[in-house]
């Protein structure tokens, strides 16, 4: 960040506004907005994030900063009629950090700047409260010593404890002015000996050092960790707010509180908040005394209460959203210290969005921006009943949502063993590593006592869609003794039942009953939004989904390969099947035919095996086309390497060896073993699979095409409306596609001739290899549609084998910030996405009416859906459960882009 000569680094609260969050941070931008609305905000100014960036990069504040701060301070002093630290009547200020995104408690704040040995006397006289003045001074030295001068905070706490002990009292407020004076001397002594310098008496020096400390706190360990976990970029920097102090601790006519303009849990309008009389902000969190409900303020100080209610209404109408606020009352005068659009639960987000539409504050397009797919996904998980009388024992990080109940196990081996015998287990570890993978797969949920949102447990569990709570630090996990100790000392032994909630991070002892989500009941059609028992949430979801469906351009299809999934997908709003993987149709009882196909020595034997598979495949497709009648169904021809259908090499070797030892006949098994050896590949992902199978195993693809064509003909004869599309996987060059296409067309012509039914079967390909993407223009000559297989495309563009990399080094990559989110979760726009974009353009250039979709897992990922909307795909296809999320996000993307088009 280089310094620009004309750059302005300091903004008075009267100069900013809420759109300047990048520059002024969230707190600064909103303080400015409130100031401009004429609300009572204590005057002050904000030092920009740009100044912080210069400081962090060059190690020094921008040259112009000091003078700019001086002129803003002069203006502030004129406005307040007193000077910073003035001996007889000091202006005091707070210095607070405030980044673009809220980072609660992560960075530094120093209050009461301006107090010194002389001005403390002035404050005492002015306030008429000696105790208050000395208490403020001791707080300044304590906060300043700790955060600005780096003194161990414990030393101040110990001194405070000793002062209380000496006096025989237990709470701070029982210390009197004389005690606090002594304490100030102790604190100054601690600073001098620990920091190697005296506590600065010059108020301007205090302020300048505090500003620098706030800049530095951006790169504190806590802040860095928080940003990594919350995926906040490291280069934003923080703004610094310098604000004149107001005091809520000047007696019973003073106090401090927090409030919401509506209930953040339900969205209902009302009076929600807490108030603490005769207190400063930090006392509320310190829990020194109990707060009272905000409604009680009406009887304590009616004038301030009425004014506050009026301000809350102004803020709601202005921000057109739920706001949370912090305020202080100083001797009957109300001051607004902070506001921001408030955090809310997923359920409240949906309710509030529709409530605001009903109030006429926002329109439907805006309502769509007030919710998101991640929130909808959260509402779709089964959840624990609220009524359950089960004890919560700890809380960790909500790493991967869902509600899981099972017996505690402390190692992967036991997890697998117990789950094989039908037990539900929760795998509990300090942290997980790649060796735990089998156990994680076997468990209902994963609980760790260490690690954050990017820990191995969190990343892998999210990838698997498995419930996970991580970093529950209150738990002492002892894997050697197979037990964990919860706060309070209770010991959970292996086999004890625990319940974990991956949406809240809560850990319970015993079994918490799980209830289905009402939102899923609604999507399933078991609950109607208009029904009497439909709750407010279901009605809100129903309305928001209707808005999304009305505006979205992307169609949403499902990845489904059986009639049951297809029907559910349809209920969830799928407009067809974008990927029917046929490999699942070759498992179970049918494996024997695949084995025969692989072992066939003669054409006749091979044809026999294929002939046995044909009617089974056909029936699969008849059922699928029936459940998706009238909607497109893309059937992908066989993709995985054939050895996946053969027995495991070790198991088979043992079987052969045993049979040999017992002198039992084992010719078939020996042939199988030879075939397994023959088909063994070093890198099966890059081996004989996809279109390559179709080209080297005669009759395989034609059998599948025949099954599709015959099934379609049968559905037409039954007066159905089948819309089958045949998709060829893993194509790298147009020649491969041409060969398969010629054969397929011949088979389709035969079936038409045999059945007398005219068939309209589209033929297209997956684009899932870089070469296919790069030569998409040529491939389009032979393909009526493309479906981007972004799973394989991500693997091949990055050179990652997903199974190998996710469990091994992805955590390290996430922690090092190489990527903020796994490219298998959210499309890598710059790499994989760029190939998709250029293939879309090339495909359309060759064949303007080519149909374009995506069927990798990214099709159900919110951020990726926006990207696919932007590059102009026709549809996304995802697992049935993600369909509502994709519909919502497609609607949000369309509403957002039409918004920017019209600007
Ligand atoms: C893909 O590669 O994105 C895809 C959908 O195919 P599969 O996941 O079955 O390899
Ligand atoms: Mg693939």
């Amino acid at each position: 960040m280089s310094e620009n000569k004309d750059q302005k680094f300091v903004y008075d609260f009267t100069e900013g506004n809420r759109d300047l969050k990048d520059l002024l941070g969230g707190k600064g931008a909103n303080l400015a907005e409130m100031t401009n609305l004429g609300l009572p905000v204590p005057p002050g100014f904000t030092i920009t994030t740009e100044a912080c960036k210069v400081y962090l990069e060059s190690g020094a504040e921008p040259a112009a900063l000091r003078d700019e701060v001086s002129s803003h301070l002069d203006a502030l002093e004129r406005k307040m009629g007193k000077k910073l630290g003035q001996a007889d009547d000091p202006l005091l200020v707070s210095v607070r950090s405030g980044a673009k995104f809220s980072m609660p408690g992560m960075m530094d704040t120093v209050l009461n700047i301006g107090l010194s040995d002389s001005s403390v006397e002035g404050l005492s006289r002015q306030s008429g409260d000696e105790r208050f003045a000395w208490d403020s001074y001791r707080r300044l030295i304590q906060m300043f010593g700790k955060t600005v001068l780096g003194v161990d905070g414990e030393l101040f706490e110990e001194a405070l404890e000793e002062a209380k002990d000496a006096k025989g009292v237990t709470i701070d407020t029982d210390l009197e002015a004389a005690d606090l004076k002594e304490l100030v001397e102790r604190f100054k002594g601690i600073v001098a000996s620990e920091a190697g310098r005296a506590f600065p008496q010059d108020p301007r020096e205090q302020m300048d050092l505090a500003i620098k400390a706030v800049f530095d706190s951006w790169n504190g360990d806590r802040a860095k960790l928080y940003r990594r976990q919350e995926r906040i970029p490291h280069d934003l920097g923080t703004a610094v707010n310098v604000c004149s102090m107001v005091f809520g601790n000047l007696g019973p006519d003073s106090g401090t509180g927090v409030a919401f303009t509506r209930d953040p849990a339900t969205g209902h309008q009302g009076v929600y908040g807490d108030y603490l009389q005769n207190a400063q902000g930090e006392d509320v969190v310190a829990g020194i005394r109990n707060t009272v409900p905000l409604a009680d303020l009406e009887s304590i100080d009616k004038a301030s209460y009425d004014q506050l209610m009026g301000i809350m209404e102004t803020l709601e109408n202005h921000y057109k959203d739920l706001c949370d606020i912090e305020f202080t009352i100083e001797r009957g005068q109300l001051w607004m210290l902070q506001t921001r659009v408030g955090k809310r639960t997923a359920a409240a987000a949906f309710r509030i969005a529709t409530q605001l539409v009903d109030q006429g504050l926002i329109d439907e397009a805006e309502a769509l921006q007030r919710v998101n797919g991640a929130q909808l996904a959260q509402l779709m998980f089964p959840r624990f009943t609220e009524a359950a009388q089960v004890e919560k024992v700890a809380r960790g990080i909500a790493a991967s949502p869902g509600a899981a109940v099972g017996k505690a196990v402390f190692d992967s081996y036991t997890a697998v063993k117990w789950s094989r015998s039908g037990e539900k287990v929760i795998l509990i570890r300090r942290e997980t590593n790649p060796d735990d993978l089998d156990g994680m797969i076997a468990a209902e949920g994963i609980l760790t006592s260490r690690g954050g949102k990017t820990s191995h447990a969190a990343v892998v569990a999210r990838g698997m869609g498995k419930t996970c709570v991580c970093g529950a630090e209150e738990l002492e996990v002892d894997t050697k003794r197979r037990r964990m100790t919860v706060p309070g000392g209770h010991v959970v032994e292996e086999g004890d039942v625990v319940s974990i909630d991956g949406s809240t991070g809560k850990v319970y002892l015993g079994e918490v009953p799980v209830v289905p989500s009402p939102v899923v009941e609604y999507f399933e059609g078991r609950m109607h939004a208009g029904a009497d028992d439909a709750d407010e949430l279901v009605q809100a979801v129903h309305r928001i989904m209707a808005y999304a469906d009305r505006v979205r351009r992307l169609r949403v299809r499902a990845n489904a390969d059986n009639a049951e999934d297809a029907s559910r997908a349809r209920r969830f709003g799928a407009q067809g099947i974008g990927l029917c993987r046929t490999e699942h149709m070759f498992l179970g009882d049918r494996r024997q035919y695949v084995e025969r196909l692989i072992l066939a020595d003669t054409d006749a034997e091979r044809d026999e095996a294929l002939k046995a598979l044909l009617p089974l495949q056909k029936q699969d497709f008849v059922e699928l086309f029936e459940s998706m009648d009238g909607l497109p169904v893309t059937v992908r021809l066989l993709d995985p390497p054939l050895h996946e259908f053969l027995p495991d090499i070790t198991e088979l070797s043992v079987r052969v060896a045993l049979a040999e030892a017992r002198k039992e006949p084992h010719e078939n098994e020996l042939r199988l073993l030879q075939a397994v050896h023959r088909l063994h590949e070093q890198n099966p992902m890059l081996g004989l699979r996809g279109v390559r199978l179709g080209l080297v195993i005669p009759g395989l693809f034609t059998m599948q095409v025949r099954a599709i064509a015959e099934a379609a003909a049968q559905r037409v004869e039954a007066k159905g409306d089948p819309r089958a599309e045949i998709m060829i996987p893993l194509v790298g060059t147009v020649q491969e596609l041409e060969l398969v296409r010629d054969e397929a067309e011949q088979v389709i012509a035969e079936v038409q001739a045999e059945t007398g039914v005219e068939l309209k079967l589209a033929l297209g390909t997956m684009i899932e290899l870089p070469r296919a993407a790069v030569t998409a223009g040529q491939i389009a000559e032979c393909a009526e549609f493309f479906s981007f297989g972004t799973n394989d495309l991500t693997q091949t563009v990055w050179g990652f084998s997903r199974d190998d990399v996710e469990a091994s080094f992805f955590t390290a990559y996430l922690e090092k910030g190489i990527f903020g989110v796994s490219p298998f979760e959210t499309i890598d726009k710059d790499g994989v996405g760029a190939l998709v974009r250029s293939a879309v353009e090339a495909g359309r250039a060759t064949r303007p009416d080519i149909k374009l979709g995506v069927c990798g897992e990214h099709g159900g990922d919110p951020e990726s859906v926006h990207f696919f909307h932007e590059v102009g795909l026709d549809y996304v296809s995802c697992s049935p459960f993600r369909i509502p999320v994709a519909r919502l996000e497609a609607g949000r993307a369309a509403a957002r882009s039409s918004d920017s088009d019209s600007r």
Side-chain angles (χ1 to χ4, degrees):
M1 166 78 16
S2 58
E3 239 184 285
N4 167 346
K5 260 181 71 200
D6 301 323
Q7 206 169 359
K8 177 172 160 67
F9 288 112
V10 185
Y11 286 67
D12 192 88
F13 288 169
T14 53
E15 293 177 299
N17 65 60
R18 69 168 155 170
D19 295 327
L20 295 180
K21 290 199 182 69
D22 284 333
L23 191 64
L24 304 179
K27 186 177 286 175
N30 286 321
L31 280 168
E33 191 77 10
M34 286 201 291
T35 303
N36 294 331
L37 280 173
L39 302 184
V41 175
F45 53 87
T46 302
I47 300 165
T48 66
T49 54
E50 298 293 319
C52 176
K53 285 193 244 181
V54 172
Y55 174 80
L56 293 176
E57 271 174 35
S58 67
E61 292 99 328
L65 186 64
R66 192 179 165 80
D67 284 351
E68 264 195 78
V69 168
S70 296
S71 65
H72 282 270
L73 182 60
D74 279 351
L76 180 63
E77 288 173 336
R78 276 197 305 278
K79 204 178 284 176
M80 304 301 287
K82 46 189 172 182
K83 291 201 163 299
L84 182 69
Q86 182 179 314
D88 58 343
D89 182 9
L91 166 67
L92 303 184
V93 296
S94 61
V95 173
R96 292 175 189 262
S97 60
K100 176 177 180 185
F101 301 106
S102 152
M103 296 170 56
M106 290 301 138
M107 291 185 302
D108 291 338
T109 285
V110 187
L111 306 179
N112 303 336
I113 285 193
L115 279 176
S116 62
D117 292 352
S118 57
S119 67
V120 67
E121 305 284 359
L123 181 67
S124 165
R125 273 192 304 278
Q126 280 298 325
S127 63
D129 188 339
E130 193 185 15
R131 185 194 178 281
F132 154 75
W134 285 93
D135 190 44
S136 302
Y137 193 25
R138 81 85 194 158
R139 285 174 195 257
L140 168 65
I141 302 172
Q142 185 170 356
M143 251 186 280
F144 194 93
K146 183 171 165 217
T147 61
V148 181
L149 300 176
V151 177
D152 179 359
E154 285 290 310
L155 297 173
F156 297 112
E157 291 297 338
E158 280 163 19
L160 182 62
E161 283 307 309
E162 281 168 24
K164 286 193 285 188
D165 288 348
K167 181 141 178 110
V169 298
T170 53
I171 52 175
D172 303 5
T173 39
D174 287 340
L175 292 176
E176 290 164 21
D179 309 316
L180 291 163
K181 274 188 201 176
E182 265 178 44
L183 198 57
V184 160
E185 286 311 309
R186 285 272 319 261
F187 279 11
K188 284 199 289 188
I190 292 173
V191 168
S193 64
E194 294 296 313
R197 62 157 297 168
F199 172 76
Q201 292 292 319
D202 173 3
R204 178 63 198 262
E205 188 186 2
Q206 290 174 5
M207 191 174 94
D208 289 341
L209 288 173
I211 291 169
K212 222 162 96 157
V214 171
F215 285 162
D216 282 326
S217 69
W218 175 257
N219 275 340
D221 290 342
R222 265 182 317 159
K224 282 204 275 202
L225 184 69
Y226 184 85
R227 288 199 296 273
R228 265 204 306 273
Q229 288 184 347
E230 297 299 316
R231 298 177 186 162
I232 296 173
H234 289 298
D235 59 358
L236 298 177
T238 181
V240 186
N241 298 293
V242 177
C243 186
S244 41
M245 288 292 299
V246 289
F247 296 96
N249 52 347
L250 277 171
D253 55 355
S254 304
T256 185
V258 293
F260 294 93
T261 55
R262 53 181 82 209
D263 185 343
T266 65
H268 292 161
Q269 276 182 299
V271 185
Y272 297 95
D274 298 301
Y275 182 67
L276 188 57
Q277 228 170 325
N278 194 11
Q280 260 197 319
E282 66 222 72
D283 297 339
V284 181
V285 273
I288 293 171
R289 278 168 285 140
N290 285 339
T291 56
V292 297
L294 184 58
D296 290 8
L297 179 61
E298 187 169 17
S299 53
I300 298 170
D301 178 352
K302 175 124 177 50
S304 295
Y305 177 80
D306 290 344
Q307 191 189 357
L308 183 65
M309 291 300 126
I311 288 174
M312 275 163 52
E313 198 180 329
T314 305
L315 286 174
E316 264 238 342
N317 290 334
H318 183 70
Y319 282 87
K320 303 186 190 324
D321 207 343
L322 172 150
C323 297
D324 72 25
I325 57 183
E326 283 178 30
F327 65 92
T328 278
I329 297 173
E330 181 182 295
R331 292 188 168 150
Q333 158 76 49
L334 174 67
W335 293 101
M336 303 300 294
L337 299 188
Q338 178 169 326
T339 191
R340 63 185 169 197
V341 167
K343 291 208 162 54
R344 64 207 67 190
T345 62
F350 278 82
R351 288 170 172 166
I352 291 172
T354 51
Q355 288 161 5
L356 294 173
V357 171
D358 292 339
Q359 282 176 254
L361 284 173
I362 60 174
D363 63 13
E364 294 177 355
E366 179 59 26
L368 280 175
Q369 306 311 326
R370 299 291 177 89
V371 295
N372 61 49
Q375 289 166 332
L376 182 61
Q378 237 183 51
L379 296 175
M380 291 176 67
F381 282 100
R383 53 189 191 197
F384 291 134
T385 44
E386 275 152 25
Q389 302 279 311
V390 183
E391 194 190 350
K392 185 199 102 185
V393 289
R395 186 163 190 164
I397 294 166
S400 179
V405 183
K407 292 189 171 167
V409 293
F410 296 89
D411 64 290
S412 205
Y413 174 77
T414 314
V416 173
K417 198 168 93 186
W418 287 23
S419 97
R420 283 210 180 127
S421 61
E423 299 279 11
K424 292 193 156 126
V425 299
I426 303 288
L427 178 64
I428 304 173
R429 305 282 291 162
R430 263 197 212 120
E431 6 188 21
T432 60
N433 64 49
D435 293 339
D436 293 314
L437 202 59
D438 290 343
M440 295 173 79
I441 293 168
E444 296 297 305
I446 297 134
L447 170 62
T448 68
S449 58
R450 298 230 191 100
K453 271 196 175 149
T454 58
S455 64
H456 179 267
V459 173
V460 177
R462 272 201 302 278
M464 292 181 195
K466 190 147 287 198
T467 301
C468 175
V469 171
C470 63
E473 288 177 358
E474 303 151 291
L475 302 174
E476 258 177 59
V477 176
D478 184 346
T479 47
K480 282 216 180 71
R481 294 162 76 193
R482 298 158 179 265
R483 48 155 67 175
M484 78 173 168
T485 311
V486 307
H490 178 84
V491 175
V492 176
E493 305 280 356
E494 185 175 77
D496 291 352
V497 173
V498 292
S499 303
I500 59 171
D501 186 337
S503 309
T504 61
K506 289 182 185 164
V507 180
Y508 303 88
L509 290 188
E511 178 177 346
V512 185
V514 173
V515 290
S517 138
V519 173
V520 169
E521 294 295 282
Y522 155 71
F523 284 126
E524 284 286 11
R526 290 194 285 262
M527 185 190 282
H528 294 280
D532 290 345
D533 66 341
D535 62 16
E536 249 180 277
L537 171 62
V538 165
Q539 288 169 8
V541 169
H542 173 72
R543 286 175 59 186
I544 298 269
M545 293 307 290
Y547 303 157
D549 286 341
R550 208 173 303 145
V551 297
R552 72 187 157 91
R553 186 187 56 69
L554 278 175
R555 297 173 78 77
V556 177
R557 297 199 199 175
N559 293 354
D561 46 36
N562 58 56
E564 191 189 329
D565 279 359
S567 305
R568 153 169 293 160
R570 207 166 178 165
R571 291 195 297 277
F572 279 27
Q575 295 161 293
I577 288 182
L579 173 62
C580 163
R581 293 181 167 100
T582 51
E583 47 266 31
H584 299 117
M585 301 172 178
F586 289 75
L587 298 175
D589 296 347
R590 304 180 188 178
R591 211 187 264 267
Q592 49 172 320
Y593 304 115
V594 186
E595 282 180 11
R596 274 194 233 158
L597 175 70
I598 296 168
L599 297 179
D601 282 333
T602 63
D603 289 356
E605 277 176 19
R606 190 192 57 232
D607 290 348
E608 214 40 48
L610 289 170
K611 219 161 123 193
L613 279 166
L614 177 65
L616 303 171
Q617 280 264 277
K618 179 177 162 186
Q619 189 53 30
D620 294 330
F621 297 136
V622 168
E623 287 169 21
L624 207 58
F625 298 159
E626 188 173 358
S627 59
M628 277 284 160
D629 196 60
L631 294 175
V633 175
T634 308
V635 180
R636 181 177 76 184
L637 305 188
L638 197 66
D639 180 42
L642 286 182
H643 73 84
E644 287 197 7
F645 301 97
L646 293 179
D648 175 73
I649 193 161
T650 323
E651 249 173 57
L652 199 57
S653 308
V654 172
R655 263 178 13 218
V656 168
L658 282 176
E660 265 172 13
R662 293 187 195 127
K663 305 226 180 323
E664 289 165 3
H666 59 278
E667 202 209 330
N668 210 30
E669 249 131 15
L670 201 57
R671 281 179 69 204
L672 258 182
L673 187 59
Q674 282 163 352
V676 171
H677 280 297
R678 193 175 67 240
L679 292 173
H680 178 77
E681 291 173 321
Q682 296 295 340
N683 293 300
M685 186 190 97
L686 301 175
L688 178 58
R689 53 169 288 215
V691 68
R692 304 161 194 173
L693 281 176
L695 292 173
V696 304
I697 311 239
L700 177 64
F701 275 15
T702 43
M703 180 279 288
Q704 290 199 289
V705 172
R706 176 169 279 277
I708 295 167
E710 289 185 3
Q714 184 172 323
R715 287 295 306 146
V716 172
E717 281 162 357
K719 304 275 174 280
D721 180 11
R723 311 237 173 130
E725 301 175 336
I726 298 170
M727 180 155 78
I728 318 299
L730 216 76
V731 162
T733 162
V734 69
Q735 282 86 351
E736 291 169 316
L737 195 57
E738 278 165 3
L739 288 170
V740 175
R741 189 181 177 105
D742 287 349
E743 274 191 341
E745 281 174 348
Q746 205 179 324
V747 173
I748 294 166
E750 281 166 23
V751 175
Q752 291 195 126
E754 285 157 22
T755 58
V757 176
E758 192 192 333
L759 293 170
K760 278 190 265 131
L761 298 176
L763 224 134
T765 182
M766 295 195 66
I767 301 287
E768 52 184 344
L769 290 177
R771 192 179 191 286
V774 170
T775 61
Q778 293 168 14
I779 292 179
E781 284 170 14
C782 196
E784 288 161 73
F785 64 87
F786 286 168
S787 179
F788 290 92
T790 47
N791 300 335
D792 271 310
L793 196 56
T794 302
Q795 297 202 91
T796 49
V797 166
W798 281 86
F800 284 159
S801 145
R802 182 172 187 175
D803 291 344
D804 293 319
V805 298
E806 266 192 334
S808 59
F809 64 83
F810 260 31
T811 312
Y813 264 42
L814 288 160
E815 268 167 14
K816 288 179 196 301
I818 295 171
F819 32 66
V821 51
S822 158
F824 290 109
E825 266 180 62
T826 295
I827 188 108
D828 150 38
K829 294 189 196 116
D830 298 340
V832 179
L835 278 181
V836 171
R837 192 191 290 273
S838 69
V840 164
E841 285 163 12
R844 287 226 169 93
T846 302
R847 190 189 282 263
D849 65 346
I850 191 167
K851 209 189 288 180
L852 301 168
V854 56
C855 63
E857 276 164 51
H858 303 90
D861 167 68
E863 211 180 310
S864 311
V865 170
H866 286 249
F867 177 76
F868 297 134
H869 168 87
E870 191 206 312
V871 299
L873 294 192
D874 298 308
Y875 68 88
V876 294
S877 187
C878 57
S879 73
F881 220 64
R882 299 295 292 181
I883 284 168
V885 172
R887 282 166 56 200
L888 176 64
E889 291 294 352
R892 297 185 67 227
R896 191 172 291 168
S897 57
S898 70
D899 194 33
S900 56
D901 290 349
S902 61
R903 245 182 243 144

